[in-house]
Amino acid sequence: MIPRLTARTGRDTRKDTRPAPAGFDRRLIAPMVLGSVLNPINSSMIAVALVPIGIAFGAPPAETAWLVTALYLATAVGQPVIGRLVDMYGPRRLYLAGTGLVGVAGLMGALAPSLGVLIAARVLLGFGTSAAYPAAMRLTRSEAERTGQDSPAGVLTALAVSAQTVAVIGPTLGGILIGTGGWHLVFTVNVPLSAACLVLGVKWLPRTATTGQRQRTDLPGMALFAVLLVSLMLFLMSPGADRWYLPALTVATAAVFAARELRVPDPFVDLRVLGGNVPLVVTYVRQLLAYTTSYAFLYGYTQWLEQGRGLSASTAGLALLPLSAAALVTATVTGRREAVRAKLVIGSVLQIAGCAALLLVGAGSPVWLLLAVGALLGVPQGLLGLAAQTALYRQADPERIGSAAGLLRTFMYLGALGSSAATAAFYPHRADTGGLHGLALFMLAGSALLLAITLPDRSLARLTPEPRQAPRKA
């Protein structure tokens, strides 16, 4: 667990001539928030675009599913890799390079002549959107060190609320864009977003000075980590006895990766520190469980609304608005109170209740019940994501906050891939009510496990920062 900040620590690495404010530099919030929503908006808008894209290229669902998988594979690998580079070279460079790549990927996707090019554009989007969140967490830590004020709750709330809100309204926005100008607009929207990030980043993000001692980049470690994740995710997306070599490759690569990272002086993932930081490891596991349920509901429920309930893509997107509203209100109201343990416990209980409510939903269910289920499951989304983010900020090594934040996002997207595999298993042919109920039981089991590992964890009660004492007068 990181030490509390009681005085100004660290070296101010700004080269800017502008006067630094006494408190958190609020000019940083706009580029931080805008950059951090690039990934969730691209993760969620595609949910309603898969069918139109399949029609345009004559591709079955098994092939268009790679549009989802490609983004998650790229982000799961890219988040910790780029997070480590943020720790080494500063947030500004990686932020500008990443958000610039988003614009290139947006143009590439909008002009794609084939599904293969479109999938490649999604890979670029995944890597491009992987820089902003680790950069934001590094900037938050740097500002805390500069000001000596260990109270980033408002900033962390802004990051969590914006990401959660955009992720949930993404299907609705995607439906509107497709209805306005076709599926191409789902990619084109990245161009103005990228331009805004570049302008704000150049204007407000501080330059960082080198420390004089050049750190080595653990390229073999990064490559092994990438192979480990890709082989695991390829198996999860399409499990089968004939693909036995993928889990075998995963286990073998994991063993080589662990042996190397424990031996090299400056590893990509410091397993020695991670191994001694059990609370942080448990936070990653909670992130995995929480987002497995969250993404299973987002994709599984949306598909059922279209096929099992017979709603159009745009109407299904609108039906998810109560989910967005509940998540937004919950995160906004509770954001400034850290209360990590309370948020995790209440969020887990409500997630269990929401999954149980899904068992009552059927093809003839009234609209009010469909909306109520979404609203109920929106509350834990507003609690669990913010709680995990706050816990990571308190538990991670300050010098590796960027890579730690990247790993948190990696576990989030591992949850997304796990949910995709579960959705495919329960919807082998179409999204019917029986498959939805099976998916609900799967989500219920994960939510119960999340509650089970949270209740006995006493370390959560020690995460709330101590009140800062006023300096003594000489």
Side-chain angles (χ1 to χ4, degrees):
M1 191 176 300
I2 65 173
R4 305 298 178 196
L5 298 173
T6 56
R8 179 171 174 168
T9 61
R11 181 181 302 174
D12 188 352
T13 58
R14 298 176 185 234
K15 289 183 176 179
D16 304 86
T17 57
R18 59 189 171 124
F24 188 96
D25 190 348
R26 297 195 174 275
R27 294 170 293 190
L28 301 176
I29 294 178
M32 287 166 58
V33 168
L34 186 58
S36 295
V37 303
L38 292 176
N39 198 294
I41 197 171
N42 279 287
S43 298
S44 56
M45 283 194 304
I46 200 69
V48 294
L50 294 175
V51 173
I53 290 173
I55 293 173
F57 292 112
E63 294 182 12
T64 58
W66 277 101
L67 294 169
V68 177
T69 305
L71 183 76
Y72 289 151
L73 283 172
T75 50
V77 174
Q79 287 280 352
V81 171
I82 297 177
R84 180 62 177 139
L85 296 177
V86 167
D87 289 332
M88 296 171 62
Y89 300 107
R92 179 186 170 94
R93 299 177 188 176
L94 275 301
Y95 178 96
L96 295 177
T99 53
L101 186 59
V102 169
V104 174
L107 284 174
M108 180 178 173
L111 302 174
S114 65
L115 182 64
V117 175
L118 206 57
I119 292 172
R122 293 282 289 180
V123 172
L124 291 182
L125 274 174
F127 284 118
T129 59
S130 293
Y133 181 71
M137 294 297 282
R138 166 56 68 179
L139 286 167
T140 302
R141 167 53 58 183
S142 299
E143 283 296 288
E145 293 175 347
R146 180 184 66 80
T147 62
Q149 297 176 3
D150 189 25
S151 182
V155 179
L156 296 179
T157 299
L159 293 174
V161 168
S162 58
Q164 291 168 353
T165 303
V166 166
V168 177
I169 68 173
T172 304
L173 176 61
I176 294 173
L177 291 173
I178 292 170
T180 301
W183 62 264
H184 299 85
L185 290 184
V186 172
F187 287 84
T188 308
V189 72
N190 287 289
V191 178
L193 289 175
S194 171
C197 287
L198 289 174
V199 171
L200 292 172
V202 169
K203 186 174 179 62
W204 297 124
L205 296 188
R207 300 179 185 274
T208 53
T210 58
T211 59
Q213 184 178 0
R214 194 82 172 183
Q215 288 183 301
R216 292 182 178 179
T217 303
D218 183 16
L219 293 178
M222 292 179 179
L224 287 169
F225 186 78
V227 172
L228 188 161
L229 283 184
V230 170
S231 60
L232 173 63
M233 292 177 188
L234 287 175
F235 181 76
L236 289 177
M237 290 303 298
S238 182
D242 60 332
R243 298 164 68 88
W244 60 268
Y245 57 90
L246 288 174
L249 177 61
T250 300
V251 173
T253 306
V256 176
F257 175 75
R260 175 182 170 78
E261 299 301 278
L262 289 171
R263 187 178 68 253
V264 297
D266 189 27
F268 165 55
V269 177
D270 194 342
L271 297 179
R272 290 160 294 195
V273 174
L274 195 62
N277 194 343
V278 176
L280 181 59
V281 174
V282 177
T283 292
Y284 288 143
V285 175
R286 290 194 189 97
Q287 181 85 336
L288 172 67
L289 293 172
Y291 277 94
T292 298
T293 296
S294 177
Y295 277 104
F297 180 76
L298 177 62
Y299 288 108
Y301 193 56
T302 303
Q303 291 182 62
W304 177 82
L305 287 174
E306 294 183 40
Q307 294 187 323
R309 188 62 170 76
L311 302 182
S312 66
S314 57
T315 305
L318 290 173
L320 293 176
L321 284 179
L323 178 73
S324 172
L328 175 61
V329 171
T330 301
T332 302
V333 171
T334 65
R336 291 190 175 275
R337 290 180 58 86
E338 295 199 355
V340 174
R341 186 177 188 276
K343 290 178 181 178
L344 288 171
V345 171
I346 295 172
S348 301
V349 170
L350 291 179
Q351 202 171 70
I352 290 172
C355 295
L358 273 179
L359 297 173
L360 305 176
V361 170
S365 296
V367 174
W368 69 263
L369 179 58
L370 305 181
L371 300 178
V373 170
L376 178 58
L377 280 168
V379 177
Q381 283 196 19
L383 294 172
L384 297 174
L386 183 57
Q389 182 176 260
T390 304
L392 174 126
Y393 182 84
R394 297 294 177 196
Q395 294 165 339
D397 179 0
E399 295 301 317
R400 288 180 173 261
I401 189 70
S403 52
L407 279 173
L408 187 70
R409 283 292 179 97
T410 292
F411 276 86
M412 181 175 88
Y413 290 115
L414 282 172
L417 282 160
S419 73
S420 297
T423 302
F426 289 108
Y427 295 159
H429 305 295
R430 64 187 305 271
D432 56 18
T433 300
L436 177 66
H437 290 169
L439 187 63
L441 290 174
F442 169 80
M443 295 160 57
L444 187 63
S447 301
L449 181 57
L450 175 62
L451 180 63
I453 66 174
T454 299
L455 285 175
D457 190 350
R458 297 183 178 181
S459 69
L460 296 172
R462 299 192 292 270
L463 292 181
T464 303
E466 300 171 358
R468 188 183 175 206
Q469 297 179 352
R472 295 181 180 178
K473 295 182 178 180

